[in-house]
Amino acid sequence: MNAPSRHFHRLAWAALILALGVIVFGGFVRLSNAGLSCPDWPTCYGKATWPTQDHEIASANEAFERAVEVSKAWREQFHRHIAALLGVLVLALSLLAARKRKGGVASVLAASALVALSIPVYMGVGGMAPNHALSVALWLAGELILLVQVLRWSNVDAARLSTALLMVIIFQAVLGMWTVIWLVKPAIVMAHLLGGLLTFSLLTWLAWGTTPSSALVAAEAPKLRRLLWIGLVLLVVQIALGGWTSANYAALACGTDYPTCLGQWWPEQDYAEGFVLWRGIGVDYEGGVLDGPARVAIQMAHRLFALLVVGHLLVVGIRLLRTPGLVFWGVMLLVLLTVQVALGISNIVLGLPLWVATAHNAGAALLLFTVVGLLARLRAPE
């Protein structure tokens, strides 16, 4: 994959670093129960920032059912702002990658304009009544334009990947809106987390793929790549289970017991209830709605699958250590894996401290960075 401009990879790395910040801060927002601290979207109590003055707070409390909590509202709205900045960087990457394609810049701008127009239509600005159906139609039209180009273009100059990234981050914004209006529905919260990590992974591939002389050449590359792909699938499933645990407030379902749960090796569990993905719209899921056995099932699934993930990545790390030129990446993978396991256990035994839970979220992203980065760079000798 060739960079479409001299500084393209630098912009990709800047977007990647910002994406990591968005993911970590988003985890902080979710774990500090601030996900519904702004009851509207994309504004916060009707403001581009958030209410801070006494008269603003009083006015917001009259207009909205949810009372203003300034200490939480700033977290949610600041997270939206840095996510919007990431969207701008991804748009710039898309435009740079598409500029040598026939009609490339025009199609990216047209799609972005349709998506941008869908926001005021959804909000009903300028005296117009909100029109959600038209808003969705505009958003889908914009995504369809981008999808057509993704299918048409190759990735020799990063055009396909950059455009796909723009599609993903637009859908991420929609998931962010649904998270608020559907009252932190677990399926949407988990999808939003996975979408953020997908964005981060695609940016990782784009940044490494367009960085000059970044390839890692090894005779063991084909075997290592197979192991890494399996590891990536396992890691994504484990992250999804972690997101489901967090979204259903099941992190402390076993109390502070580890490796036992509620003083037992196999306590009462309700997997059928714990893994119902869709429960309808209109329920406020903040704080969780599941009973004890259902939450225990979610927590136990996350713990048990972690054993499989750790075992496989441990094998991958050892193989990397034994491969010339890949020792550093083997050490990084094993160190990150060890720290991530320690953070996961600490979450339980320490009673879910906010900084530990946030660091655990960051650890998942860094493991993805390592695995995806290796997949993007590993090559067999010619």
Side-chain angles (χ1 to χ4, degrees):
M1 181 165 46
N2 299 314
S5 68
R6 187 174 60 175
H7 299 294
F8 185 88
H9 68 285
R10 295 185 176 89
L11 184 59
W13 280 105
L16 176 64
I17 293 169
L18 180 58
L20 178 61
V22 171
I23 289 169
V24 173
F25 195 79
F28 169 72
V29 171
R30 183 178 70 257
L31 293 162
S32 60
N33 296 319
L36 290 180
S37 55
C38 293
D40 50 334
W41 185 95
T43 52
C44 184
Y45 291 97
K47 292 178 62 66
T49 53
W50 53 88
T52 55
Q53 304 299 319
D54 289 343
H55 69 277
E56 293 174 340
I57 295 173
S59 177
N61 286 337
E62 290 180 4
F64 293 86
E65 292 184 7
R66 189 181 184 94
V68 177
E69 295 180 79
V70 177
S71 63
K72 291 184 177 181
W74 78 265
R75 303 174 192 182
E76 170 65 9
Q77 195 64 356
F78 179 72
H79 178 243
R80 295 177 185 177
H81 285 316
I82 59 175
L85 178 58
L86 177 61
V88 171
L89 291 182
V90 170
L91 174 59
L93 288 168
S94 300
L95 289 170
L96 283 172
R99 63 180 182 167
K100 294 183 180 179
R101 302 281 179 158
K102 184 178 180 180
V105 171
S107 62
V108 171
L109 287 177
S112 302
L114 287 170
V115 172
L117 181 60
S118 72
I119 297 174
V121 170
Y122 164 80
M123 296 172 64
V125 299
M128 297 185 300
N131 191 327
H132 295 177
L134 178 57
S135 176
V136 169
L138 290 169
W139 159 58
L140 288 176
E143 290 279 64
L144 182 60
I145 291 173
L146 295 176
L147 178 60
V148 169
Q149 303 298 39
V150 167
L151 296 175
R152 287 181 60 234
W153 295 340
S154 69
N155 204 43
V156 66
D157 54 357
R160 172 178 287 172
L161 183 53
S162 299
T163 307
L165 253 171
L166 184 58
M167 284 185 63
V168 170
I169 207 160
I170 289 171
F171 189 56
Q172 264 296 89
V174 174
L175 286 172
M177 175 187 69
W178 288 344
T179 297
V180 173
I181 66 175
W182 288 348
L183 305 175
V184 288
K185 187 174 181 60
I188 301 301
V189 172
M190 183 180 67
H192 195 43
L193 170 65
L194 291 176
L197 291 171
L198 174 60
T199 302
F200 181 73
S201 299
L202 292 176
L203 279 169
T204 298
W205 198 293
L206 186 66
W208 278 122
T210 56
T211 298
S213 305
S214 65
L216 297 171
V217 180
E220 293 288 311
K223 293 180 180 178
L224 284 171
R225 286 179 64 85
R226 284 194 291 271
L227 287 172
L228 285 165
W229 276 115
I230 295 170
L232 179 60
V233 172
L234 293 175
L235 187 57
V236 169
V237 173
Q238 179 65 357
I239 289 171
L241 285 171
W244 193 244
T245 301
S246 177
N248 285 282
Y249 299 85
L252 294 178
C254 293
T256 56
D257 290 353
Y258 188 88
T260 56
C261 176
L262 300 176
Q264 304 173 59
W265 286 106
W266 196 254
E268 181 185 358
Q269 301 165 56
D270 188 348
Y271 284 87
E273 183 67 18
F275 287 90
V276 174
L277 295 180
W278 192 262
R279 297 179 183 273
I281 299 172
V283 178
D284 188 342
Y285 291 92
E286 190 170 28
V289 298
L290 299 180
D291 60 13
R295 298 193 200 206
V296 169
I298 295 170
Q299 170 63 208
M300 290 298 289
H302 188 47
R303 289 189 188 188
L304 293 172
F305 199 81
L307 298 177
L308 180 60
V309 178
V310 170
H312 181 81
L313 291 183
L314 187 61
V315 171
V316 175
I318 293 172
R319 292 288 294 269
L320 290 170
L321 287 177
R322 294 176 177 176
T323 305
L326 298 178
V327 174
F328 171 80
W329 293 103
V331 170
M332 175 175 282
L333 181 61
L334 293 175
V335 168
L336 286 173
L337 189 62
T338 302
V339 171
Q340 186 69 345
V341 170
L343 288 170
I345 296 173
S346 298
N347 265 332
I348 298 169
V349 299
L350 298 179
L352 203 65
L354 181 57
W355 74 268
V356 176
T358 303
H360 193 52
N361 198 56
L366 292 175
L367 278 171
L368 270 179
F369 171 79
T370 304
V371 172
V372 173
L374 285 167
L375 282 169
R377 303 162 67 202
L378 267 177
R379 300 287 184 273
E382 295 183 0

